[in-house]
Amino acid sequence: MLAILALLPMTLLTGCWSQREIDDLSLVAGIALDKAHETKVEKALTKNGAARKKEDLISITYQIFTSSSGGGQGKGGGGSSEQKKYENFTETGDLLLESTREISLRTERPIFAQHFKTLVIGDELLRTTPIRSFMDLMYRESEFRPSALVFVARGLARETFELKGAKEIPAFRILKMVDNQYKSTRILPSVSLTKLLTFLQSKSSFLLQAIVKGGGEIKFAGAGIVHGQSGKLIGFLDEDELSSITLITGNVRGGVVKFADEETGQKNLYEILSYKSDIVPHVEGDNISFEVRIEARGRLSESWVMNEKSFDDRFLKRQGQYAAKQLERNIRQTLEKIQKRYKADVIGFNKELRIHEPKTWDKVKSQWDQKFSQAEVRVHAKTTVTEYGASGSKVIEHRNPPGP
C-alpha cells in the first residue's frame, strides 16, 4: 500500500496527452480577410506546380509570431530582408478552413489561433459579399478567440499587417491604438467578434473602425457602414463624421471640438473633460422624432483670438456658446448623410425607441431603417468652459486682484 501511495503522485506529473508545446505552434496575432488577391508567393508556387482545385473567392492572411532570433521576411507577399517579429502567410481559395489547412503545407508549425487579437476585413470583400457568409467559420471553429476586435480596411486588409521597421507586430499596434479613445472622439468603441455576432443576429446596421495604410504606416480613418439587411459595406464616414457619431451616442472619454470665434474669425479648440448625451424619442400618432441633448464641460485649450480680456468670464462664456453651435452643426451634417444617403441607423436610435416606446417599436421594427431616414432629429448642445489654461499674466490678475 505504501508503494502504491508513493507512485500515485507520479500519475499527476505526466501532463495532458493532447498537450502541444508552444514552440511547435504558429501562434496567430491577427487575421486579415480580402476579396481574392493572390500574392506573388502564391503565384510563384502555383506556376511551379503547387495547384489545387478551387475557386478564387477569398484570401486569408495569418500574422504569426516569430522568435526574437527568427527574423526572415514575410512569406505572404514578399516583404523585406529586414528581420521582423512576425511573418504573414496568405492563402487564396473558396473556403477559409481549407485555405488555413493549406498553410500547413508551407510551414513546419500548425496554425494556432486561440490567442489572436485582431481581425481586419478588406473593403472590397465587404462591399461584394455579405459578412455573414465569410464570418461563419469564426463562430463555428472553437479555436478562434471571441474577444478579438474587428476592423475594416480602406483597401487590402493584409496591407495593414505590413509596417516599416521591425519593432512591433502590426496586429498588436492596431489593438493598442484603440486605447487612445480617451484622447479622441474619432475612435469607435471596440467591436469584438462577440458583439459583431449580436449585430448579425439582429440584422442591425453598425459601424466598424476603418484603417488606412500609407507611407508604411497605418491610421484610424473614420468608420465603415455595414447595412443590417444586406450585411454589406455601403460606405464610409470620415473622421469628422465619426466624431459626430460618438458625440451623439455619448461614447466619449475625451476629445476636442474645433470652432471659430464669430467676432474675429480666429480658430479655437475646446477640449472635452466631461460629457453627457441623451437620445429622447417622441411619438405622436404615426410620427416619430428624436431629440439629442448634449452637455459638455471642458477647457479652452487653444485660442488664436488676440484679446486682452481673453480670460474674462464673458469671453469664456461666448467661446462656450460658439463651441456648442459648431458641435450642433457637425452633428446635423452627419445625420443628414446617414439618414438621407445611407438610410441606416448605425447610432442606436432604434434601441432608445424600443426601450421607451415598445409598442411603437413593434410596429416599425421590420422597416426601421426606412422609418429612421424620415424621422426628424433635433440637436441641442450646451458646452461650458471650466478651465482656460495658465498662459499669460491675466490669469494671475484675474485670480488675485492687486491690493490697495
Side-chain angles (χ1 to χ4, degrees), residues 233-245:
L233 180 73
I234 57 175
F236 282 98
L237 298 176
D238 64 26
E239 294 179 40
D240 292 326
E241 291 163 344
L242 175 55
S243 177
S244 294
I245 296 296

Side-chain angles (χ1 to χ4, degrees), residues 3 14 36 87 94 96 137 152 167 171 198 236 287-288 299 330 334-335 341 351 356 361 371 375 382:
T14 58
E87 291 180 291
D94 42 15
L96 294 176
L137 174 66
V152 59
K167 293 185 178 180
T198 64
F236 282 98
N287 184 47
I288 300 173
R299 67 164 61 95
N330 294 343
T334 301
L335 284 170
R341 180 175 175 181
K351 178 183 176 181
H356 297 285
W361 170 248
K371 287 287 186 181
K382 178 183 178 181

Side-chain angles (χ1 to χ4, degrees), residues 42 46 49-56 91-95 98-100 102 105:
E42 287 182 279
T46 300
R52 60 187 170 99
K53 293 181 180 180
K54 62 185 177 75
E55 292 183 66
D56 288 340
E91 274 292 331
T92 301
D94 42 15
L95 292 170
E98 182 186 24
S99 294
T100 300
E102 198 72 13
L105 306 180

Side-chain angles (χ1 to χ4, degrees), residues 299-316:
R299 67 164 61 95
L300 189 62
S301 293
E302 185 174 358
S303 176
W304 286 42
V305 179
M306 304 301 294
N307 191 325
E308 292 184 359
K309 298 181 180 180
S310 58
F311 298 102
D312 181 77
D313 288 342
R314 286 175 295 180
F315 171 80
L316 295 175

Side-chain angles (χ1 to χ4, degrees), residues 100-218:
T100 300
R101 298 291 186 262
E102 198 72 13
I103 293 177
S104 65
L105 306 180
R106 296 169 52 189
T107 177
E108 71 279 10
R109 298 173 299 174
I111 296 293
F112 186 76
Q114 285 189 6
H115 299 287
F116 98 99
K117 306 291 187 182
T118 307
L119 173 65
V120 184
I121 306 171
D123 61 353
E124 188 179 2
L125 174 64
L126 201 49
R127 286 185 190 276
T128 56
T129 309
I131 189 171
R132 301 179 191 91
S133 302
F134 56 81
M135 288 300 296
D136 183 71
L137 174 66
M138 298 293 170
Y139 299 111
R140 286 182 182 270
E141 181 59 55
S142 60
E143 191 171 293
F144 291 107
R145 192 182 185 94
S147 60
L149 302 188
V150 187
F151 305 85
V152 59
R154 292 178 182 258
L156 283 175
R158 68 171 178 246
E159 290 185 351
T160 66
F161 281 0
E162 285 286 352
L163 298 179
K164 62 182 180 182
K167 293 185 178 180
E168 62 182 317
I169 298 170
F172 287 171
R173 174 186 279 194
I174 293 171
L175 189 72
K176 292 176 183 177
M177 286 163 59
V178 175
D179 294 336
N180 291 331
Q181 191 182 1
Y182 76 100
K183 286 290 187 180
S184 177
T185 55
R186 301 179 180 190
I187 301 177
L188 272 178
S190 56
V191 176
S192 65
L193 282 173
T194 302
K195 188 174 182 180
L196 178 61
L197 182 60
T198 64
F199 290 139
L200 300 181
Q201 290 176 336
S202 63
K203 294 186 177 181
S204 300
S205 300
F206 60 93
L207 295 175
L208 289 176
Q209 183 74 58
I211 308 174
V212 66
K213 170 79 176 290
E217 294 289 345
I218 54 174

